[in-house]
Amino acid sequence: MRNRMTAGLLAGAAGTTALNAVTYTDMALRGRPASGIPEQVVDRLGLPLRDANRRQAAAALLGIGVGAGVGAVYGLAGGTPAGALMPAATAALAGDGPPVALGLTDPRTWTAADWLSDVVPHLAYGLVTAVAYDGLTRRRRRGVR
């Protein structure tokens, strides 16, 4: 079980890198700014960070933690027949759920571009997480040690 969790953690880290790469590519191509929502979540969590740079860093670290954590859960589940959809949906819920619950955003008001900016990076996360997990565990599943 520990090996599956470790493989999932590593796969989630790879997926997080993919999510960030897709997000930053979108920002570069469209010239859009970074979202301020993650820093607002940090504020609402009551973390004692006085300046914007520290809040931004804490928000990024929380995002990395969520991505790695979702990967670990995916690993504990042993991967799933749903493949990339399970980690993609779980990461989207874990990332979007707190801001929605805190009243910082309302998906019902999002434009099509907003949805694409959210869904596409999470799909990239799910795909890379699933492929990385499969690659990390394939030999073990075949009985090769």
Side-chain angles (χ1 to χ4, degrees), residues 4 12 27 34-35 44 47-48 55 63-64 71 73-74 77-78 80 83 87 92 95 98 103 111 119 121 124 130 134:
R4 288 191 332 226
M27 290 168 61
S35 171
R44 291 282 181 94
L47 297 177
R55 284 190 300 275
I64 292 167
V73 170
Y74 180 73
T80 67
T111 65
V119 170
D134 183 64

Side-chain angles (χ1 to χ4, degrees), residues 24-82:
Y24 291 129
T25 299
D26 175 50
M27 290 168 61
L29 291 174
R30 293 194 301 142
R32 72 173 179 84
S35 171
I37 298 287
E39 290 98 79
Q40 292 175 35
V41 169
V42 168
D43 282 341
R44 291 282 181 94
L45 292 176
L47 297 177
L49 303 172
R50 295 183 183 166
D51 65 65
N53 293 336
R54 286 186 173 88
R55 284 190 300 275
Q56 187 178 32
L61 290 170
L62 285 173
I64 292 167
V66 166
V70 168
V73 170
Y74 180 73
L76 285 172
T80 67

Side-chain angles (χ1 to χ4, degrees), residues 1-143:
M1 180 180 342
R2 190 173 80 186
N3 290 333
R4 288 191 332 226
M5 185 178 84
T6 300
L9 186 75
L10 293 170
T16 300
T17 299
L19 181 145
N20 288 336
V22 170
T23 298
Y24 291 129
T25 299
D26 175 50
M27 290 168 61
L29 291 174
R30 293 194 301 142
R32 72 173 179 84
S35 171
I37 298 287
E39 290 98 79
Q40 292 175 35
V41 169
V42 168
D43 282 341
R44 291 282 181 94
L45 292 176
L47 297 177
L49 303 172
R50 295 183 183 166
D51 65 65
N53 293 336
R54 286 186 173 88
R55 284 190 300 275
Q56 187 178 32
L61 290 170
L62 285 173
I64 292 167
V66 166
V70 168
V73 170
Y74 180 73
L76 285 172
T80 67
L85 292 180
M86 184 273 205
T90 304
L93 287 172
D96 295 336
V100 170
L102 292 168
L104 299 173
T105 188
D106 183 352
R108 295 174 297 183
T109 66
W110 293 359
T111 65
D114 295 335
W115 275 103
L116 282 173
S117 294
D118 190 70
V119 170
V120 172
H122 284 105
L123 288 174
Y125 169 87
L127 178 64
V128 170
T129 299
V131 168
Y133 181 80
D134 183 64
L136 289 166
T137 60
R138 181 176 297 136
R139 290 178 56 190
R140 181 163 281 120
R141 287 193 313 266
R142 287 186 193 156

